[in-house]
Structure formats: structure tokens, C-alpha cells
Amino acid sequence: MTEPIVNDLTIQAATVNGSGSQTANLVLTRAIFKMGVPVAPKNVFPSNIEGLPTWYQLRVTPEGYMARSDRVDILVAFNAATWRDDLGTVRPGGVVIHEESYSTADARTDVTYYAVPFSKLAKSKIPNETLRKQLANMIYVGVVAGVLSIPWEAIEHGVKRQFLSKPKAVQVNLDAVKVGLDYWQDNFSKQDPYRLEPMTGVVEGKALVEGNQAAALGALMGGVTVAAWYPITPSSSLCEYLIAYSDRFRTDAKTGEKRIAVVQAEDELAAVGMAIGASWAGARAMTSTSGPGISLMAEFAGLAYYAEVPVVIFDIQRIGPSTGLPTRTSQGDISFAYTISHGDTKHLVLLPGTVEECYEFGRDAFDYADRFQTAVFVLSDLDLGMNLWMTPSFSYPDKPFDRGKVLSKADLEKLGGEWGRYQDVDGDGITYRTLPGTDHPSAGYFTRGSGHDEHARYTERADAYARNMDRLSKKFETARKALPAPVTDESAGSAIGLIAFGSTNAAVVEARQTLVEAGRPVDYMRLRALPLSVEVAEFVERHEHVYVVEQNRDGQMFDLIKLALPPDLTGRLRSIRHYDGQPIPAEAITEPLLQSEAVAI
Amino acid sequence: MSATLNRVGLPRDAYKGAATTLCAGCGHNSITNHMIKALYELGIEPHLLAKMSGIGCSSKTPAYFVETAHGFNGVHGRMPSLTTGAQLANRQLIMLGVSGDGDTASIGLGQFMHMIRRNIDCTYIIEDNGTYGLTKGQFSATADLGSVQKKGAVNTFQPIDPCAVALALGCSFVARSFSGDGKQVVPLIKAAIAHRGTAVLDIISPCVTFNDHDGSTKSYSWVKDHEESIADVSFIPFFEEVHVDYEPGTVRDVTLHDGSHILLKKLGEDHDPNDRRAAMHVIEEGRAAGHLVTGLLYVDPDSDDFATTEHIPSTPLKDLAEGQLRLTQDEFAQFMSEFA
């Protein structure tokens, strides 16, 4: 046998969706995580309820890399329909755990096969007929545990953790795992080099959290009180988590009263309308959607911009155009979200790059919306939103809500009732508003998406229109300085820089390490908001070549950066794009970058 | 001469707004005046009033009454969603929506229907003239089959009747009236405001510029000739006592949840306003006979509005402070530990 390969492997479970395989995959994930071994799961699922192929990739690295990898070390083949294709994805020397009945005639000879009679075992060893199909998946957990030497305590933890709310299910599931483990021990001897060993140093203090869970918690901590949504993958779980968390934390145990309204709207258009109406009336309000949803929200987004109503819009991006691939990831809404709506409209966009930032930005987005009285888009994506990520615990907020410039009754009395809704008193472009219900005769004003002057009166005057638009620009410039600044690491001291954002960060982190090993260390700037910080141009100025990495076809962020640069710097930009719907792997950065730099030399 | 003050100490003038920019003689201007009268007599506190509208001639009118109240002129056909959100943010607000037939029955039909389904606590007034005025006289979806446009084109499509749609969806308050019939419109507006839940009030409001000619079924003369009121409506607010003399069996008394009363004096055949099927029947009969049936068609005074069914507290959600919204430090730490 070759050198053992410890804690550095990728398991790919190829199953049929709707069959209960996701539970088995999660048990495996949690068991390995319990060993102190870093995990990075990626669920590749179809837009379907039951019967189509689905893959779960569980990557394990001692470094704790969280990007997807194209490399498959261990295949669990549980889907006859994709068996031959799946077999082709395994790297030479890899392991194939497969249903015994799948033919291996003329199959590859450079992999190790463990053929297991899963169906027969399920039939003979799982007495519960109604649960048999689901529990059959747990048998492969047992086989994998056997192959990789996962301790039984870790498996027990994984099953218990997975069935926290259904403790009765724990034993039957453990029994099913045991069936697989016993079969492996009784019938096989270890033929492959892969092994998992308990380790320390990376996962301590970390949790496994989905970005949508983090964003829901963030919204709750940010004080959201009205959320309206329309179901759409991959955003639905955000509001579903919000509902679950609200049932627990925002419901009066005695009266049943809720300190939040979560409304499932009739469409995304109504969803954002409800959020804008609620924000106008003074609540912290949000909606959550994905690409097709923000397309429908375009007109309302313009109203929020022009009438200056705060609203938080989560866009969990999926691949487009049109329906696209509803269950595949993308960063394709960048330029659209930034300027969505007709006329001279532009928006504040937050770009969380980790689940921790999904929490922080999900929370702080409400402060930005109130402070700047405008729409704030939080652009996550399917990879970040729906997969589990290792993360440090989130920090408790250290500052109170920033409700922005709101005049109370007392303020109005002090002003003698003299104020203008769209008057730039402070010179920062941000004006004062009042909320409906403010008991002062001069509190009321008329909010409209049509032309208005400083006192919110309808006007078609050219000078008033232009003045207002210029002030809105000024407000945007104020926001540019206040939004989360890029995170920059120039410790490599390299002439090459890399700019990325959002979930691409995971691949960049890994790629930078590979590039160090290849003798091509690179500096890194991670963008966290639009409009772009002035630091971006400074970063480009300090580097000869700057690669903008993103997950869309057209290099949308590349274009935005190019527009923001002085002409003499634009030639330094290079574009690296990944857009097949799968989360970007590190190789998709290192390979084109090394190739380009080789030519450059 | 000192003006008469209402129960909150305000004169009628306090309910006026900016000067109208609509055409002289527009039915909408009459409705604005009815609105001013109703709000003044009800003693609505302007700061608690939220005037909501979409886009179109009708949707401009919230600027023309209660100038000191907050107003929101949103996007075309989407007033219901804005109203829903604002209502949830602050249950103490009195939501008063003004829409038109294009805003409601064409571009906004979906939101109109879903607002009704949810029973949002609001008054929804449709200033219904069967035509697109601002864009110069195209037919709207409420124009009757066979009615004639100013330039002679004949409408070949079935109309959408907002009242029939509302009834079909279980709307808890449905009424129809005519802008020229202040005696009926004013008590209906008051009743709609007092009602808890979505109150739809379809007011035929002739467009003097584009739809007031022969062949139109939304003209002043047509409506005057064809209006058939099902009952005389009067409204007694909760802060006034009911003392009306009437013969037994001639008046129906509907008590709303706030203690106000709607009194309906029989005119022809008796109509039970609590009977939804009867309301449908009355509309269909009128239509078959070529009449415009007006009055309170249906009311369910006991219906629960959306905020009630959603368990939203009466304290406005917008007023909840950090302490009531954020998890405590301990809850947060416990919650985070559950992810490990």
C-alpha cells in the first residue's frame, strides 16, 4: 500500500434527491467535524423534489480550506443512473464504494472498489419498512466510517446532533450506520491509503453555519420587524430561518404576540412593496429573494432610491439569465443590483464574503438603510447561503441601532416646525425625515416617486430636479466612505494583486497558498461593498497586474472597477471568471493566473 | 365667526389639502370634498392618518385633503403592498388608500386581490371612471362592454367589477357609490374607516374630459339615470348616541367593532348586508337590468384583520427598542453554541 493520506481527501456521495441522502451526508459531516477535522461541504442538488441525481461533496483538508475541489478521492455511488459518469470523476488511486449490483465490468482498474449490497442489507437488516428507504442512506455512512476509521463516538455525535429535535430517531439511525460498519468490518480489508485522524488546531471554537442562517440571525439582531418574501431558491431558507428564530425569540410566551411580522407575499413585487411601506412607516423592514425576484423589484427599487425610503433587500444569487439554473451558484447580479431601476439610479450593495459577514452585514444593513434612507442590497449567493461553513462564533453587537436622521415631535417643536424633507441641512446629502404618527402639525409630508422639491412638494421645475439629483449623488458619496472598507492583505509584497469578493474568497484563500508554493505570492484585496472604496484605485496603483476574480461570465466587477480607475491604471487589470454554476475552485484562479504571468514574463 | 371644531378640536379647514390640479368638474374633486367632510366629522387626528395611493389622476388626490397628514404616492398598482407594510409597522395608523380603476383593476389587480385576501385593515377607495385620464382617454378594465370611447371606439371586453371581485374573495366590507351622491358617499367613507379590515368602496367618478359623453356608462348623466340605491345609509360614530326614529322592520343596524353603527333604511327590496351571496345576487340583478346598484353591499363587522390574525401587538412595531428586538447576551451565546 502507498503512503497513508490523512485528513486530506474529498468524499463525493452521488445519490438520488428526495431519498433522505442529505441527512446521511450531514451526519457524516458532523461526525468528521467532531473529530477536530476541518470540513467543507458542498451540496450540489437539482431543481426537483424527488428522483433526480444529487451530489454531496465533503472536502477535508488539514488547513481547513473551504472552497470546492474538483478532486474526488472517495466516491459513494448510490445512484445507478449516474454510476458510470460518477466513476469517471474519481482520481486515480481513489476509492469507490458502490452498490454491489452496479457493474464494474470494463470499469476502471486504477481505483479501489468496495462493493456493498446496500439494498439487500437494507431489506434484511432494517425492519422498519416505512423508514427503510431513508435509513438505507445511513448504511453508507457506516461503510465510510469503516473505510476512514471514524470513531464510533463521533458517529454518535453526528446522529444525535442531526436529530436534535427528534431524539426518537437517533437509535434507528445509529442501528442503520452499524449495519454498514459491520458489513465493512466483516467483509473487507483496507486496500486504500485514505484515513481520518482526530486533530486539533483548526476547528476549535468554530461552528457549522449556513449563510442564510447567519443572515437571518443578523436581521433579527439588526432589529427587523417586518419581513416580506416570496419563496425562491436559494433564498427561501433565509426567511424560513427568520420565522423559526422569531417563533423562539420574538414571541411573547403568554400572549402569543409577535414582535415581528413575516409575510409570505404574492410575488416579489409585493414583497418589496410591503418592506418599503413598512420602512416608510418607521419599521426596520426587509425582503429576501434571488435573481428573478430582484428583476421584479426593479421599479420599487427606484422608488426607494428617489423617494429615499430605507429598505434591506437580500439577494441570494443563483445562476441566470432568466430561470437559469435555480440550484446553482453565481455572482451574476452585481451590476444589475448596483443600478437596478430606470433613470439615474444606484444602490448601496454589501458583499459578505463569509458566513460571519452574512451575520454582520445582515445586521448592519438596517443601520445603513436608515442612515442613508435608501435601498441596501445584501448580495450573498447559493454557495454561501445554503452550504454549511466553518465559522468562528459571531460577536454580540457592540453598538445600538443607528436609526438615522429622524425628527421626533420634540425635534419639530425645537425647530418651530420649520423643516424640509429633502433639505440638505448638514451638507452630507442626507436629509431628515419624520415618521407617520408623529404628533406635530408640521410632521406630515407627501412621499412620492415623482419630481419633488426640498419640501416634498410636486414640481416639474428643471432646477429643482437637477438640484435634488445632485444631492442624491452627494449622499451616495457620503455612503461610499461609510460602508465596510475592503479587507487588504499585502503581506506578500507582490507586484501582483488579486481582487475578489463574496464566496469567491474561499477559493482565493486557498489559491494564494498554492501561489506561494509556486513561487508567485500575490496580494489580496477583498471588496465588501459598492460603491467602490477609493482604496481600490490605490491598491491597483501599488500593483503591476491586478486580477479581478468573480463568478460570472462578463466580469461585472471587473467593469465596475475599470470605470472607477483613472485611465492610466485600467491596463493593469486582468479578469478571471468562473461561471459554470459550481462554486469556484482554487485551480480556477491559480491556473489562469500562472499562465498569464508566464506569458507576461 | 369662529369655525365649528370637531371632537379633536379641529376646524373643517384643518382637513383641506393643496389646491386640486385635476380638471374642473372631475368626479374625483367631489370625492375629495366628501373625504374632507367625513374625516372632519369623524374627528380623525391628522397625524394618525396615512394617505396611500398608486399612480393616476385618482392617486394624485391624497395631496388635496388633510395636508398635514403623511401621504405616500407610490408606484402604479402597488398601493396595497405599501399599505400592508405600513399597517404592520404601525397598527395605530388609519390607512386610507385612494386608487383608480386602472390602478386597481388592471396593473394592480393582483395586489388588490391579495390585500383583500389578507384583510388588511384599510379603506380602499376606487375613483372609478372607466378610462385612463392622464394618458388621454384609453379604456380601462372597468369600462362596460359596448361602452363608447370619446372618439367612437367601442369596448369589446367584459368589465372587471371591483365589487364582484372583492366579494368573491371574501372581502369584509364592499360598497359602491357615485361621486355625485354625497349623502351616500360620506357615510360610506366613515363606515369604511370605522370597519376593521379591508373596506372596498368603488365610487363611480365621471371623467369630464374623456368619458362624459353619450355612449359612456360612467358619465354623469348615465349614472344619474341608472343609479339604484339599495338602502339609505347613515353612519353614527361610536362617540355619538343612536337616536333615530324609525318604524320597526324598515331599518337595519350594523354595529361595527368600535361601537359605531351603520343604519340602512330600506328603499325597495330588503337587502341583508351580512349576506355575501345576496350581495352577489344584487350586483348581478342590477347588471342584467342595466342599473348601477349602489350602497353598502356587504359587511362582516366581526372579521379579524391581518395584523390581528398575525398576532401583531397594538404597540407599533416601529417603536420597539433594541431590548425587545435583540436576543440577550445569554440567549445569543446559547444560540451560537447550538451551531457547534
Side-chain angles (χ1 to χ4, degrees):
Chain A
M1 196 154 67
T2 49
E3 274 297 287
I5 300 173
V6 182
N7 294 352
D8 195 0
L9 53 93
T10 298
I11 303 167
Q12 175 124 306
T15 57
V16 176
N17 89 314
S19 69
S21 56
Q22 183 63 353
T23 307
N25 296 328
L26 289 170
V27 165
L28 202 53
T29 305
R30 294 192 184 284
I32 296 171
F33 188 59
K34 181 69 178 171
M35 296 168 67
V37 177
V39 288
K42 303 285 178 202
N43 190 17
V44 180
F45 58 103
S47 178
N48 176 259
I49 294 174
E50 189 180 287
L52 285 186
T54 180
W55 296 268
Y56 186 83
Q57 187 190 77
L58 183 55
R59 187 174 179 210
V60 169
T61 55
E63 298 88 352
Y65 292 140
M66 290 192 280
R68 189 179 66 87
S69 163
D70 282 327
R71 185 183 104 170
V72 175
D73 298 285
I74 296 170
L75 171 70
V76 179
F78 219 68
N79 184 355
T82 60
W83 154 242
R84 281 287 167 160
D85 286 345
D86 291 334
L87 186 57
T89 64
V90 183
R91 71 187 306 218
V95 172
V96 177
I97 298 164
H98 66 98
E99 163 63 46
E100 191 182 52
S101 60
Y102 299 171
S103 166
T104 51
D106 310 323
R108 293 173 58 175
T109 53
D110 58 347
V111 294
T112 305
Y113 293 97
Y114 298 117
V116 182
F118 287 109
S119 334
K120 282 184 201 156
L121 285 173
K123 231 175 230 171
S124 60
K125 307 273 185 179
I126 297 174
N128 188 328
E129 265 182 59
T130 46
L131 293 178
R132 185 173 293 149
K133 190 174 141 203
Q134 304 236 310
L135 289 169
N137 291 288
M138 301 305 288
I139 299 178
Y140 75 66
V141 174
V143 175
V144 173
V147 173
L148 297 176
S149 320
I150 300 173
W152 184 249
E153 308 82 67
I155 294 288
E156 270 185 332
H157 167 86
V159 172
K160 281 181 189 158
R161 177 65 185 72
Q162 193 54 36
F163 292 98
L164 263 187
S165 55
K166 283 188 268 177
K168 274 189 189 162
V170 170
Q171 199 52 51
V172 283
N173 278 278
L174 280 175
D175 291 346
V177 178
K178 194 78 177 24
V179 170
L181 184 59
D182 288 348
Y183 187 86
W184 197 84
Q185 283 167 347
D186 295 345
N187 295 279
F188 298 108
S189 62
K190 181 85 171 160
Q191 300 292 323
D192 66 88
Y194 295 102
R195 232 176 35 226
L196 292 175
E197 283 177 9
M199 62 173 269
T200 54
V202 180
V203 315
E204 284 75 17
K206 289 197 174 127
L208 287 174
V209 186
E210 295 164 24
N212 285 353
Q213 292 177 312
L217 180 62
L220 212 62
M221 296 302 281
V224 66
T225 50
V226 177
W229 66 298
Y230 184 76
I232 182 169
T233 306
S235 145
S236 303
S237 63
L238 198 163
C239 280
E240 283 166 343
Y241 286 124
L242 186 65
I243 291 167
Y245 301 167
S246 298
D247 286 347
R248 179 166 165 191
F249 296 112
R250 289 280 190 85
T251 308
D252 188 298
K254 279 189 217 121
T255 63
E257 280 188 341
K258 288 190 173 298
R259 297 187 299 280
I260 187 170
V262 186
V263 187
Q264 187 185 317
E266 57 269 33
D267 53 34
E268 288 90 345
L269 226 146
V272 75
M274 289 175 194
I276 290 172
S279 288
W280 172 77
R284 298 203 128 181
M286 60 170 271
T287 183
S288 179
T289 188
S290 190
I294 62 163
S295 287
L296 283 180
M297 293 177 186
E299 188 183 17
F300 259 131
L303 176 74
Y305 175 78
Y306 191 51
E308 301 183 60
V309 184
V311 65
V312 174
I313 301 170
F314 289 89
D315 174 11
I316 315 304
Q317 297 166 94
R318 69 188 211 188
I319 213 162
S322 191
T323 307
L325 300 174
T327 59
R328 298 290 189 268
T329 197
S330 164
Q331 294 182 317
D333 296 347
I334 303 298
S335 44
F336 184 52
Y338 187 41
T339 58
I340 175 173
S341 210
H342 53 275
D344 283 322
T345 305
K346 41 191 180 178
H347 303 290
L348 308 185
V349 180
L350 301 178
L351 303 165
T354 62
V355 286
E356 199 173 9
E357 284 183 348
C358 288
Y359 161 73
E360 288 171 1
F361 294 1
R363 179 191 67 201
D364 298 344
F366 294 91
D367 284 351
Y368 295 123
D370 272 351
R371 168 61 37 192
F372 297 105
Q373 298 174 26
T374 195
V376 174
F377 285 83
V378 184
L379 255 60
S380 172
D381 61 35
L382 182 142
D383 183 22
L384 196 51
M386 290 190 71
N387 283 318
L388 282 169
W389 296 73
M390 292 188 299
T391 177
S393 278
F394 306 153
S395 52
Y396 196 79
D398 56 5
K399 53 181 197 293
F401 298 155
D402 175 4
R403 296 304 318 259
K405 297 184 185 181
V406 178
L407 296 175
S408 66
K409 180 185 180 181
D411 295 331
L412 290 167
E413 279 166 356
K414 236 179 278 169
L415 291 167
E418 289 297 316
W419 74 291
R421 168 67 182 98
Y422 299 110
Q423 217 159 31
D424 186 7
V425 180
D426 302 325
D428 56 5
I430 308 170
T431 63
Y432 287 81
R433 64 174 182 144
T434 58
L435 304 179
T438 306
D439 188 6
H440 189 281
S442 68
Y445 68 94
F446 204 75
T447 305
R448 57 176 104 236
S450 47
H452 44 264
D453 67 9
E454 281 80 353
H455 285 85
R457 290 173 302 223
Y458 180 76
T459 181
E460 296 177 5
R461 285 180 61 128
D463 58 339
Y465 173 80
R467 214 163 46 235
N468 188 46
M469 290 305 283
D470 288 342
R471 182 189 51 77
L472 282 166
S473 263
K474 191 199 275 181
K475 180 169 87 165
F476 206 66
E477 290 312 306
T478 305
R480 187 191 297 276
K481 291 176 218 119
L483 296 177
V487 177
T488 308
D489 177 2
E490 296 184 59
S491 60
S494 172
I496 305 166
L498 234 158
I499 295 179
F501 59 93
S503 65
T504 303
N505 177 57
V508 173
V509 168
E510 184 178 346
R512 288 185 77 206
Q513 188 54 41
T514 313
L515 290 169
V516 166
E517 286 154 20
R520 278 262 174 222
V522 295
D523 291 335
Y524 178 29
M525 168 173 267
R526 182 163 67 82
L527 305 174
R528 300 198 297 166
L530 293 173
L532 290 168
S533 158
V534 292
E535 290 177 35
V536 176
E538 294 162 7
F539 181 81
V540 175
E541 197 156 26
R542 289 194 296 272
H543 295 87
E544 286 169 27
H545 293 162
V546 174
Y547 292 82
V548 181
V549 188
E550 57 197 305
Q551 299 181 65
N552 57 63
R553 184 195 65 184
D554 292 343
Q556 299 178 13
M557 187 63 85
F558 174 87
D559 282 348
L560 289 178
I561 294 173
K562 207 166 150 187
L563 284 171
L565 291 181
D568 59 314
L569 289 182
T570 55
R572 301 185 180 194
L573 290 183
R574 309 278 185 275
S575 176
I576 294 177
R577 302 174 304 274
H578 178 85
Y579 49 91
D580 64 3
Q582 299 291 353
I584 182 172
E587 297 76 32
I589 301 170
T590 52
E591 283 167 17
L593 189 143
L594 287 170
Q595 210 169 9
S596 158
E597 288 303 315
V599 172
I601 293 162
Chain B
M1 194 183 86
S2 69
T4 313
L5 304 182
N6 65 10
R7 71 179 174 112
V8 296
L10 292 175
R12 190 178 184 283
D13 280 0
Y15 293 84
K16 286 187 171 170
T20 177
T21 58
L22 301 177
C23 307
C26 176
H28 299 359
N29 286 332
S30 308
I31 299 173
T32 295
N33 288 328
H34 303 325
M35 210 93 82
I36 290 168
K37 184 172 162 66
L39 294 165
Y40 162 66
E41 288 177 359
L42 278 178
I44 297 295
E45 295 190 78
H47 75 277
L48 291 178
L49 183 67
K51 304 173 294 180
M52 312 298 285
S53 65
I55 293 293
C57 290
S58 61
S59 296
K60 291 180 169 194
T61 64
Y64 312 145
F65 60 90
V66 203
E67 193 161 23
T68 56
H70 270 82
F72 197 163
N73 186 196
V75 294
H76 203 9
R78 318 301 176 204
M79 179 259 278
S81 60
L82 293 170
T83 302
T84 300
Q87 224 277 319
L88 291 169
N90 184 354
R91 283 189 74 174
Q92 291 177 0
L93 295 177
I94 295 155
M95 306 304 304
L96 177 55
V98 182
S99 181
D101 39 305
D103 201 57
T104 294
S106 286
I107 192 168
L109 189 58
Q111 294 213 346
F112 173 67
M113 293 171 81
H114 284 276
M115 168 197 67
I116 291 169
R117 237 185 105 225
R118 294 190 182 94
N119 203 20
I120 303 301
D121 188 11
C122 70
T123 297
Y124 189 102
I125 289 171
I126 305 157
E127 301 188 340
D128 187 350
N129 56 19
T131 188
Y132 285 86
L134 269 182
T135 51
K136 316 281 186 219
Q138 299 82 0
F139 279 126
S140 89
T142 66
D144 284 310
L145 182 67
S147 65
V148 179
Q149 223 175 38
K150 199 176 182 182
K151 287 178 182 165
V154 176
N155 182 32
T156 54
F157 302 111
Q158 291 289 344
I160 291 175
D161 179 347
C163 289
V165 170
L167 283 168
L169 293 164
C171 185
S172 57
F173 183 113
V174 183
R176 177 144 41 219
S177 194
F178 166 48
S179 63
D181 187 355
K183 275 172 92 177
Q184 189 186 54
V185 174
V186 172
L188 283 176
I189 292 174
K190 289 178 181 175
I193 290 172
H195 173 71
R196 187 175 67 181
T198 301
V200 168
L201 180 45
D202 179 38
I203 307 178
I204 307 304
S205 174
C207 173
V208 287
T209 306
F210 293 107
N211 205 11
D212 198 30
H213 47 268
D214 285 348
S216 161
T217 58
K218 300 274 193 286
S219 67
Y220 278 109
S221 60
W222 193 93
V223 178
K224 273 177 193 156
D225 292 346
H226 296 82
E227 184 184 3
E228 188 192 87
S229 173
I230 45 174
D232 269 347
V233 191
S234 50
F235 179 81
I236 317 291
F238 67 90
F239 51 86
E240 281 174 21
E241 292 209 14
V242 186
H243 44 77
V244 189
D245 293 328
Y246 49 79
E247 281 179 42
T250 59
V251 167
R252 285 182 179 269
D253 179 349
V254 180
T255 309
L256 298 178
H257 84 105
D258 70 346
S260 299
H261 292 265
I262 308 171
L263 300 179
L264 300 163
K265 189 169 173 227
K266 248 192 274 184
L267 288 175
E269 275 185 48
D270 188 24
H271 172 65
D272 177 0
N274 300 130
D275 185 339
R276 200 159 65 91
R277 277 178 296 182
M280 280 289 202
H281 186 69
V282 163
I283 289 178
E284 285 302 324
E285 291 281 291
R287 195 170 131 132
H291 293 150
L292 178 75
V293 173
T294 63
L296 178 63
L297 294 162
Y298 176 72
V299 62
D300 173 7
D302 302 320
S303 77
D304 276 335
D305 72 306
F306 186 62
T308 303
T309 53
E310 293 294 297
H311 306 287
I312 307 302
S314 53
T315 307
L317 289 177
K318 75 166 179 79
D319 290 336
L320 299 179
E322 271 116 350
Q324 294 158 289
L325 298 177
R326 280 182 172 162
L327 281 68
T328 64
Q329 294 258 17
D330 286 349
E331 283 172 335
F332 190 81
Q334 167 64 30
F335 192 59
M336 278 315 301
S337 74
E338 293 170 19
F339 283 108

